[in-house]
Amino acid sequence: MNGKIKYEFSEKPWQHASPGGWYFVSLPKEMAKEIRTSLKSEEEGWGRLKAVAKVGKSDWKTAIWFDTKANTYLLPLKAEIRKKEGIEIDKELHVIIWL
């Protein structure tokens, strides 16, 4: 993978409340704090950090976004990945990201 640092975690995905809202998985807060401390200087607009994510057998280029309300980074889950990996809301998901 292109990323330099590997992070691995398990969390439940959720859907944004807006109609047709995006699906996300929130990074654990301690992990987000560590990432923000060491990589904040690399963030682009709106707290965006480029990343490569892997769920199941699928990996894709993406970005994580810092959400100030939740005080953590959010990883958007594309429809294509959700479908391919059978991702469901409230069903724990194992995620690997490289930043």
Side-chain angles (χ1 to χ4, degrees), residues 17-75:
S18 62
W22 279 71
Y23 287 76
F24 295 96
V25 64
S26 303
L27 275 67
K29 286 197 163 93
E30 278 306 305
M31 184 182 286
K33 190 175 167 187
E34 181 187 315
I35 293 169
R36 197 117 217 249
T37 303
S38 54
L39 297 174
K40 189 171 184 1
S41 62
E42 292 183 39
E43 283 182 4
E44 297 170 356
W46 302 288
R48 179 181 186 269
L49 273 176
K50 286 182 183 160
V52 173
K54 181 176 172 96
V55 171
K57 293 183 170 87
S58 305
D59 55 62
W60 71 101
K61 283 186 176 170
T62 185
I64 55 174
W65 306 80
F66 194 78
D67 179 351
T68 49
K69 282 187 210 128
N71 199 30
T72 189
Y73 286 97
L74 307 179
L75 170 67

Side-chain angles (χ1 to χ4, degrees), residues 8-19:
E8 217 166 321
F9 62 96
S10 293
E11 286 289 335
K12 291 177 179 177
W14 54 275
Q15 185 176 15
H16 191 271
S18 62

